[in-house]
Amino acid sequence: MPDTTRSTDRLPGTRYGNRPTMKDVAARAGVGLKTVSRVVNGEPGVTPDTERRVQEAIDALGFRRNDSARVLRKGRTASIGLVLEDLADPFYGPLSRAVEEVARAHGALLINGSSAEDPEREQELALALCARRVDGLVVIPAGDDHRYLEPEIRAGVATVFVDRPAGRIDADVVLSDNFGGARDGVAHLIAHGHRRIGFIGDMPRIHTAAERLRGYRAAMEDAGIPVEDAWMSLGQTNPERVRRAAEEMLAGPEPVTAIFTGNNRVTVTVIRVLAEHSRRVALVGFDDFELADLLQPGVTVVAQDAAALGRTAAERLFRQLDGGLVAPERIELPTRLITRGSGELPPAD
Amino acid sequence: MPDTTRSTDRLPGTRYGNRPTMKDVAARAGVGLKTVSRVVNGEPGVTPDTERRVQEAIDALGFRRNDSARVLRKGRTASIGLVLEDLADPFYGPLSRAVEEVARAHGALLINGSSAEDPEREQELALALCARRVDGLVVIPAGDDHRYLEPEIRAGVATVFVDRPAGRIDADVVLSDNFGGARDGVAHLIAHGHRRIGFIGDMPRIHTAAERLRGYRAAMEDAGIPVEDAWMSLGQTNPERVRRAAEEMLAGPEPVTAIFTGNNRVTVTVIRVLAEHSRRVALVGFDDFELADLLQPGVTVVAQDAAALGRTAAERLFRQLDGGLVAPERIELPTRLITRGSGELPPAD
DNA sequence: TAGAGCCTGGACAACGTTGTCAGCTGCGCG
DNA sequence: CGCGCAGCTGACAACGTTGTCCAGGCTCTA
């Protein structure tokens, strides 16, 4: 079999494609195995001269400690797992980054995976991470039954859920105030004179979607406005569906004069639909997004702080690992209404 | 010391906080260690009855295989590392996701980290990943000297660079056609009658920035337009600096009539500046971004395909791992000019 | 100068898994 | 009835590291 690896000088004491071990380093430096370990880990009790010899051998061989073996021995991996829905979604980028920063501050690496909103894949991923013995797990749930994590939690895997609560187990969870945020957003529209307000959101089996819907209903009820079925669209949020839903609400003899959208994907689609209409329709969206201020009009949104969600969750996770926590807790972060124009348009009937 | 772990029934044969091992499972099922291993790995040669007993013990104990030990034994981790600049940057989300999908298709997990454009942090991260014995590494370089990876590559870590070439080592690299894309974008502006065209880009020590600048110069030269220094801004791309640069280009007796921006962060800032000006200035930006079509006017861009970059790199990486590759290669992916209005505005002198 | 104590270094086991190999059982066939 | 074979099963070593513990040599003091 031809050797396809890039050829350089073959290293003494090591077979090709195999890495040098501490044993090799020890042999080359003429010291014992444990002495190498001490140097590599910066432990005390090695004379400068010995240390230098060991260091030279390390450099010469290109030795790098094998963390797998280390983990096996020490029990902790200094890595945490993040299971999220889709890394490509602009909402999760900052969240993931925030988790990473906290992990880094604790000397840990981040392993992450996308569940693609598929409960089975979520489970598969989470358990794969557990098999790798991550110290902790941050999960953005796709499914609604997380009992599969019970043995892991019992075995000491710190676990925090983010964005949506865990299903059927008692665990830490960090959420946005979806209900309050939606209620405020809809109340904002009502305050600007709207009564026929549409709501386009995700399937109510998703916790955040259900909460935002509840906020919409609460605001309407507070204002004494009976909600008509035709004003609500709850389901898949692919562009075609959302587009149809928006167009239906805007058609007919009594069209809605404002729309509240349940997440940023929906918001963007609705903006596209509204851009095609001549009549001015007010809009408030849940989730902020880049360039919302540059559109005409600027888009009023209920913003949640993705980075804060991630940071809070990760910090809580490391507090679990430090042994400082007892009972699982539910932490709710406030949302912020950002007015930019689209939510302040008056009703145009 | 109080036990702060959530309390459930203590498992027989395992200490609290310690996980059951195959040995524990074997003891409980009344079989040998190796038999458990066989069941866990789906190896043949186990009677259905034995398998059932083992499976029951596994479920009862909540056993999960320790992949660290497995890796130690087998040599491969089935995980790859991704070092990028910033996970929160919308350009890297899709790229990362694409790498993840390919990894998933090969049964591997993705570990990633952000270098924050800091060469030292890039190295620290990459080497930490190597210590964990990732099978391969996808690197978006922050630094320009990657000789520190030589021992790793020699030891068999598959390595692919993305978006920017590796520094001082010979390795696979997947790039966008930054030069060609920029040249086409600027030529597009020239074709619409512009001659005084500004260029705002990143520091030329960044490869992509240098290439795009080269594209700008080439297009200008092709058209026989001498470039004036006042038309170019090459440096940090924080909003304040970019804003100042744009405003300087637009002031004076002979202002630029069009601007070519070197990346999407710059583009967005320039859009904000232009929105404050009454005079219509043409704009073409490198990198596409969401909602570019909804602005007034729509923003003409040179789009690169982040997902394709990630996918191509990851596939190349796994081909290395499968042993099918010999010489490092440089792969360049085409860019695409997307016209939306801003790049087709005529000069307004 | 001898003894005590400290400092350095190394031998060895253990972490949890998998590969090797040998033993055991039961069955079929001569 | 005995032998061979196949199919299961388990004992054992090894992967590369770290923790424990002990040995040997040095220094310091009485």
Side-chain angles (χ1 to χ4, degrees), chain A residues 4, chain B residues 76 102 106 158 160 172 174 311-326 329 331:
Chain A
T4 59
Chain B
R76 282 236 172 153
V102 176
H106 286 80
V160 179
D172 277 321
V174 181
R311 197 181 326 115
T312 308
E315 276 163 2
R316 181 107 192 140
L317 186 119
F318 282 103
R319 215 145 3 117
Q320 278 187 33
L321 286 174
D322 294 345
L325 296 181
V326 192
E329 210 172 296
I331 302 176

Side-chain angles (χ1 to χ4, degrees), chain A residues 19 86 152 272 293, chain B residues 19 86 97 152 272 293:
Chain A
R19 286 169 162 279
D86 181 0
E152 312 301 328
R272 287 183 205 282
D293 60 320
Chain B
R19 288 170 160 278
D86 181 359
R97 179 68 198 274
E152 313 300 329
R272 286 183 207 283
D293 59 322

Side-chain angles (χ1 to χ4, degrees), chain A residues 110-164:
Chain A
L110 180 63
I111 311 182
N112 51 18
S114 304
S115 68
E117 201 70 84
D118 173 356
E120 212 166 306
R121 199 161 147 183
E122 173 210 301
Q123 171 168 352
E124 187 188 304
L125 250 170
L127 291 182
L129 292 168
C130 289
R132 263 150 229 252
R133 295 294 185 266
V134 292
D135 298 334
L137 217 44
V138 175
V139 181
I140 294 163
D144 50 10
D145 185 351
H146 297 93
R147 282 175 297 175
Y148 69 86
L149 279 176
E150 274 177 347
E152 312 301 328
I153 292 174
R154 215 180 305 150
V157 179
T159 309
V160 179
F161 290 79
V162 186
D163 195 40
R164 311 168 191 170

Side-chain angles (χ1 to χ4, degrees), chain B residues 234-255:
Chain B
L234 319 166
Q236 298 268 320
T237 55
N238 50 331
E240 305 78 49
R241 240 195 90 101
V242 169
R243 170 172 287 274
R244 206 169 49 242
E247 274 164 357
E248 279 170 15
M249 289 178 193
L250 295 171
E254 290 221 314

Side-chain angles (χ1 to χ4, degrees), chain A residues 188-241:
Chain A
H188 183 75
L189 289 167
I190 294 172
H192 281 80
H194 296 272
R195 293 184 63 81
R196 297 198 306 276
I197 301 173
F199 177 93
I200 305 181
D202 223 314
M203 297 161 287
R205 74 166 180 78
I206 299 176
H207 174 263
T208 49
E211 284 292 293
R212 293 170 196 175
L213 174 60
R214 201 163 66 82
Y216 165 78
R217 287 185 181 283
M220 296 296 267
E221 190 172 338
D222 287 351
I225 307 173
V227 174
E228 296 187 13
D229 282 351
W231 297 349
M232 291 185 300
S233 162
L234 320 168
Q236 299 268 320
T237 55
N238 50 333
E240 306 77 50
R241 240 195 89 103

Side-chain angles (χ1 to χ4, degrees), chain B residues 19-299:
Chain B
R19 288 170 160 278
T21 70
M22 285 191 176
K23 200 169 150 191
D24 299 318
V25 174
R28 177 166 180 132
V31 301
L33 185 54
K34 181 64 208 201
T35 301
V36 177
S37 172
R38 272 192 271 262
V39 171
V40 169
N41 294 295
E43 288 170 24
V46 181
T47 42
D49 181 59
T50 311
E51 175 166 357
R52 191 186 43 72
R53 281 207 333 274
V54 171
Q55 196 58 57
E56 280 172 11
I58 287 174
D59 294 341
L61 295 175
F63 167 80
R64 179 127 11 242
R65 182 179 61 197
N66 184 333
D67 273 357
S68 290
R70 174 166 225 254
V71 162
L72 184 57
R73 200 53 238 260
K74 304 205 76 151
R76 282 236 172 153
T77 54
S79 55
I80 66 173
L82 171 62
V83 180
L84 39 71
E85 194 227 312
D86 181 359
L87 209 39
D89 185 320
F91 178 71
Y92 294 112
L95 193 156
S96 177
R97 179 68 198 274
V99 172
E100 185 196 344
E101 285 304 323
V102 176
R104 184 176 141 81
H106 286 80
L109 276 184
L110 180 64
I111 311 182
N112 50 20
S114 305
S115 69
E117 200 71 81
D118 172 356
E120 212 166 306
R121 198 160 149 184
E122 173 211 300
Q123 172 169 352
E124 186 189 305
L125 248 169
L127 291 181
L129 292 167
C130 290
R132 263 147 228 256
R133 295 294 185 268
V134 292
D135 297 334
L137 217 42
V138 176
V139 180
I140 295 162
D144 49 11
D145 185 352
H146 297 92
R147 282 175 299 174
Y148 69 87
L149 278 176
E150 274 178 347
E152 313 300 329
I153 292 173
R154 215 179 306 150
V157 179
T159 309
V160 179
F161 291 78
V162 186
D163 194 40
R164 310 169 193 170
R168 314 188 65 171
I169 65 171
D170 194 24
D172 277 321
V173 50
V174 181
L175 304 164
S176 280
D177 179 10
N178 292 291
F179 168 75
R183 192 191 47 199
D184 294 354
V186 174
H188 182 75
L189 287 167
I190 294 171
H192 280 80
H194 296 273
R195 293 185 63 81
R196 296 198 305 278
I197 301 173
F199 177 91
I200 305 182
D202 223 315
M203 298 160 287
R205 72 166 181 80
I206 300 177
H207 175 263
T208 50
E211 283 293 292
R212 292 171 197 174
L213 174 60
R214 202 163 65 83
Y216 164 79
R217 286 184 181 283
M220 296 295 268
E221 188 172 341
D222 287 352
I225 308 173
V227 174
E228 298 188 10
D229 283 350
W231 298 348
M232 291 186 299
S233 162
L234 319 166
Q236 298 268 320
T237 55
N238 50 331
E240 305 78 49
R241 240 195 90 101
V242 169
R243 170 172 287 274
R244 206 169 49 242
E247 274 164 357
E248 279 170 15
M249 289 178 193
L250 295 171
E254 290 221 314
V256 300
T257 63
I259 297 179
F260 186 84
T261 50
N263 68 44
N264 53 14
R265 283 191 307 275
V266 174
T267 308
V268 169
T269 305
V270 169
I271 291 170
R272 286 183 207 283
V273 173
L274 294 184
E276 297 160 9
H277 278 248
S278 53
R279 189 155 41 86
R280 281 307 190 83
V281 175
L283 173 68
V284 174
F286 207 107
D287 284 345
D288 200 5
F289 54 93
E290 219 185 0
L291 303 187
D293 59 322
L294 281 182
L295 297 176
Q296 296 295 340
V299 181

Side-chain angles (χ1 to χ4, degrees), chain A residues 196 228 230-231 248-257 279 348-349:
Chain A
R196 297 198 306 276
E228 296 187 13
W231 297 349
E248 279 170 16
M249 288 178 192
L250 294 170
E254 291 222 313
V256 298
T257 62
R279 188 156 43 85
D349 357 36

